[in-house]
Amino acid sequence: MNALKIVRLTAWAAIGIITVALLYVLLNPVDREQGTGVASIGGPFRLADHNGQIVTDASLRGKPYALFFGFTHCPDVCPTSMLEITNDLNAVGNAAKDFRVYFVTVDPARDTTALLKEYTGSFDSRIIGLVPKDEAELANMARLYRAIYRKVDTPSGYTMDHTASIYLMDAQGQFFGTLDSKETPGVRQAKLKRLLERR
C-alpha cells in the first residue's frame, strides 16, 4: 500500500511539473523566428502623444527608444524612474540627444494629454507622454510588451499597480532589454550606450 501511494504521489508530482512547464512555455513564447530564445516583447501600436500627434511603432523605426508604463498620480516609482532616466540620458551625453522615452499612461481615465505634458515637463524634454484612447487599446499594448497594471482601490480613491521597468527598443523596433531602478547608474548607462551603438 505504501509503495502504491509513493507511485501515485510521484505520478502527481510529475504531472504538476509538466503542467507548470507547459504553462511557462505557453505564457512565455520565445522569438523562434530569430532563434534567440528571448521572450517576444513589442508589437504594433498607435497612440496619441501629449502634443496630440499620433505615434506608432512604425513611425519610431530608425532610432532606438524607450517605453515606460506608469501614471501621473504615482507617488514613487514613476517619478523616481523618470528622474533616473533623465540623469542617465544626461550622463550619456550627445549620443542620446535624439533618444526618446515614451511614458504610456496606465490611467487614461485621469491622465489627459495636458496633464501628461505638464508631468513629463518636470523631467527631460526627451520624455513624451502617450495616451491610449480606451481600455482595450491599453490592454493590447500592455499585452504586447508584457507589462502589468492593475487598479487598486484606496480610502481616498484608487491607485495603480504597474510594471516598473523601462523597456529599451532598438532602431528596428526589436526588444533590447530593460532598465531597472535597482540597477546602479553605471549599469543603466552602459546599457543605454550599447543600445545607442547598435545598428
Side-chain angles (χ1 to χ4, degrees), residues 31-82:
D31 190 347
R32 302 185 192 285
E33 190 174 303
Q34 295 186 15
T36 60
V38 176
S40 176
I41 293 177
F45 64 86
R46 179 183 173 85
L47 304 178
D49 72 13
H50 63 219
N51 292 311
Q53 303 298 311
I54 296 299
V55 175
T56 70
D57 60 299
S59 70
L60 297 180
R61 297 282 170 85
K63 294 178 182 177
Y65 61 94
L67 283 168
F68 178 80
F69 292 82
F71 65 116
T72 63
H73 290 74
C74 181
D76 43 32
V77 173
C78 298
T80 297
S81 296
M82 293 304 96

Side-chain angles (χ1 to χ4, degrees), residues 11-12 17 26 30 32 34 42 79 96-97 110 113-114 127-128 141 161 163 169 176 182 193 199:
W12 280 113
I17 291 170
L26 290 172
V30 298
R32 302 185 192 285
Q34 295 186 15
K97 64 182 174 62
R110 291 186 296 192
T113 52
I127 300 174
I128 299 167
M141 188 168 183
D161 281 346
T163 300
M169 310 300 290
F176 179 82
K182 295 176 183 176
K193 288 175 183 177
R199 294 289 178 262

Side-chain angles (χ1 to χ4, degrees), residues 10 25 32 38-39 46 61-63 75 79 95 103 109 112 115 118 146 153-154 166 169 171 176 178 183 185 195-196:
T10 302
V25 170
R32 302 185 192 285
V38 176
R46 179 183 173 85
R61 297 282 170 85
K63 294 178 182 177
F103 185 106
T112 62
L115 184 55
E118 180 183 354
R146 297 178 177 270
D153 291 327
T154 67
I166 296 175
M169 310 300 290
F176 179 82
T178 60
E183 297 169 329
L195 173 60
L196 292 166

Side-chain angles (χ1 to χ4, degrees):
M1 192 66 170
N2 285 339
L4 184 58
K5 283 184 178 179
I6 291 172
V7 169
R8 285 179 178 168
L9 287 173
T10 302
W12 280 113
I15 291 170
I17 291 170
I18 291 169
T19 301
V20 170
L22 285 172
L23 285 172
Y24 180 83
V25 170
L26 290 172
L27 295 175
N28 297 278
V30 298
D31 190 347
R32 302 185 192 285
E33 190 174 303
Q34 295 186 15
T36 60
V38 176
S40 176
I41 293 177
F45 64 86
R46 179 183 173 85
L47 304 178
D49 72 13
H50 63 219
N51 292 311
Q53 303 298 311
I54 296 299
V55 175
T56 70
D57 60 299
S59 70
L60 297 180
R61 297 282 170 85
K63 294 178 182 177
Y65 61 94
L67 283 168
F68 178 80
F69 292 82
F71 65 116
T72 63
H73 290 74
C74 181
D76 43 32
V77 173
C78 298
T80 297
S81 296
M82 293 304 96
L83 180 58
E84 287 176 346
I85 191 67
T86 293
N87 293 337
D88 292 338
L89 291 174
N90 289 333
V92 169
N94 195 54
K97 64 182 174 62
D98 295 324
F99 191 80
R100 297 292 179 266
V101 179
Y102 293 93
F103 185 106
V104 182
T105 179
V106 296
D107 188 16
R110 291 186 296 192
D111 286 345
T112 62
T113 52
L115 184 55
L116 269 173
K117 186 171 186 176
E118 180 183 354
Y119 181 83
T120 57
S122 300
F123 304 101
D124 193 280
S125 60
R126 289 167 284 191
I127 300 174
I128 299 167
L130 295 181
V131 185
K133 69 181 177 203
D134 54 32
E135 181 59 33
E137 190 171 66
L138 171 59
N140 182 61
M141 188 168 183
R143 179 183 58 81
L144 290 172
Y145 286 85
R146 297 178 177 270
I148 297 169
Y149 66 96
R150 181 173 64 96
K151 186 176 180 180
V152 180
D153 291 327
T154 67
S156 58
Y158 71 89
T159 187
M160 302 292 295
D161 281 346
H162 61 92
T163 300
S165 297
I166 296 175
Y167 295 79
L168 299 177
M169 310 300 290
D170 69 16
Q172 286 72 50
Q174 299 296 314
F175 176 67
F176 179 82
T178 60
L179 299 180
D180 194 296
S181 288
K182 295 176 183 176
E183 297 169 329
T184 65
V187 168
R188 292 194 308 269
Q189 290 157 25
K191 287 183 184 179
L192 278 172
K193 288 175 183 177
R194 288 198 300 274
L195 173 60
L196 292 166
E197 290 166 358
R198 186 171 179 173
R199 294 289 178 262

